[in-house]
Structures are given as C-alpha cells and as structure tokens.
C-alpha cells in the first residue's frame, strides 16, 4: 500500500470518551503515547455511569468479569464488555462498549472501540482496534521490532519515523484477522 492512511481513514470513532483523542491525532500511532494520560484525565474528570473496581480501574454498566482475571491500572472498560477467564489487562487499556476480552489473552497500552472481539489466546499490545474488529484465535499484534529500532511507516513516496520502538497494529473498523 502506498497511500499514507490517516486516523479518519481507518476509524469512525463513536465512543464519546475517545472521540476527542481520535480527532486530535492525524495518524493512528500518534495515540499510543497518549493512552495512559487520556485515561487518567477521564478518571480525574469523572466517569458517570462507571464504577471504580479498584484504584485506577473503572468499569461500565453490565461488565462481566470472570474469575482469574487481572486488571492493572489505569484502565477503563466500557459498558457491556465481557472479560473472560485468564485475561490479563496490563494497564493503559481503554475499551468501548460490548467488547470481548478473551480467555488467556493479554492487553497492554491499547484502545478497543465498540464491539471489538478478541475472544481467545490473543496478545494486543500498543494497538488500536476499530469498531467491530475481530481477532481470531491466537492472533498477535506483536509490538516490537527484533532490532529494537523505531518503527517506520513506509510507502512509495514516504518514510515516517513513528518515534516509537513499540507499535502493534492499527486495525480498522470491521476488520477480521486470524
């Protein structure tokens, strides 16, 4: 692909508490270093209809959390989301509504828009998953290059240094992987 894809090309963010973040970033990877600060600002401002599960972890209405789940702060889990057994949320994770964070899956520094499904054996790190994105069993958004150098986004007419050593996947709305 030789077109430089922008945030608005990949995502139609309808999550009220994420819209400003999406609108402020021309390219999706620009959101990655802002996730933690965005979550902390939302918590500081107050999250109506959310409940504090433990310090720095807020969950919406009708969230289902199975046994043996670990959720580290900061995190915001949207209404109606299901977190299955063995899920590990390592912090700096924010979801929209009605997502599935699957059994034996790990999430770190990522955004999941409404209705994202990562149902089992997934790793989602330094990534953004669009509305109704779906990761099949065992899909991994590996987030670091083997030589530990900065990730570049390249095309025929461009080579952009993201300034980050860790960039997972920018998965657009409705994409199925796995």
């Amino acid at each position: 692909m030789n077109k430089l894809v922008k945030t608005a090309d990949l995502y139609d963010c309808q999550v009220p508490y994420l819209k400003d973040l999406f609108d402020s970033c021309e390219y999706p990877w620009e959101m990655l270093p802002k996730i933690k600060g965005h979550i902390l600002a939302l918590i500081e401002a107050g999250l109506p209809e959310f409940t504090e599960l433990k310090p720095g972890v807020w969950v919406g209405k009708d969230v289902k959390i199975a046994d043996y789940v670990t959720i580290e702060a900061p995190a915001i889990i949207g209404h109606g989301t299901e977190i299955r057994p063995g899920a590990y949320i390592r912090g700096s994770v924010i979801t929209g509504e009605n997502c599935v964070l699957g059994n034996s899956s790990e999430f770190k520094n990522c955004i999941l828009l409404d209705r994202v499904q990562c149902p089992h054996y997934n790793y989602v790190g330094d990534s953004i998953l669009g509305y109704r994105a779906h990761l099949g069993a065992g899909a991994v958004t590996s987030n670091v290059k083997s030589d530990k150098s900065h990730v570049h986004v390249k095309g025929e007419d461009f080579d952009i240094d993201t300034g980050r050593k860790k960039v997972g996947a920018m998965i657009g709305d409705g994409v199925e992987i796995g």
Side-chain angles (χ1 to χ4, degrees):
M1 173 189 275
N2 287 315
K3 178 184 177 204
L4 185 55
V5 178
K6 297 183 178 186
T7 302
D9 298 327
L10 283 177
Y11 309 105
D12 179 20
C13 179
Q14 297 300 312
V15 180
Y17 48 87
L18 285 169
K19 191 137 182 53
D20 289 345
L21 179 61
F22 275 71
D23 290 346
S24 72
C25 295
E26 184 175 14
Y27 300 109
W29 62 83
E30 293 173 337
M31 286 184 264
L32 297 176
K34 298 178 180 181
I35 294 172
K36 182 177 182 177
H38 188 73
I39 293 170
L40 294 174
L42 288 170
I43 291 170
E44 180 71 26
L47 291 162
E49 300 185 4
F50 282 73
T51 302
E52 187 174 29
L53 186 65
K54 65 183 190 180
V57 175
W58 289 76
V59 297
K61 296 181 296 187
D62 301 319
V63 170
K64 296 176 189 165
I65 302 174
D67 292 335
Y68 310 110
V69 168
T70 299
I71 306 175
E72 295 180 2
I76 296 173
I77 308 300
H79 304 304
T81 292
E82 176 185 1
I83 305 175
R84 294 180 176 169
Y88 180 27
I89 300 170
R90 284 177 48 194
S92 299
V93 172
I94 187 167
T95 80
E97 295 183 1
N98 301 305
C99 295
V100 175
L101 284 69
N103 68 292
S104 305
S105 293
E106 183 174 345
F107 302 85
K108 177 197 84 77
N109 196 53
C110 59
I111 297 171
L112 284 61
L113 293 182
D114 291 344
R115 299 191 178 278
V116 167
Q117 293 195 2
C118 304
H120 32 249
Y121 310 109
N122 303 115
Y123 174 75
V124 181
D126 298 287
S127 298
I128 300 169
L129 281 61
Y131 172 77
R132 279 187 114 78
H134 176 260
L135 296 185
V140 172
T141 64
S142 182
N143 63 345
V144 67
K145 292 170 55 174
S146 59
D147 69 0
K148 312 273 191 294
S149 65
H150 283 187
V151 174
H152 284 244
V153 177
K154 297 180 181 182
E156 202 171 279
D157 300 324
F158 56 87
D159 180 346
I160 298 175
D161 182 351
T162 64
R164 298 189 53 82
K165 290 182 181 180
K166 292 185 177 185
V167 175
M170 306 296 120
I171 300 172
D173 293 342
V175 173
E176 297 267 346
I177 293 181

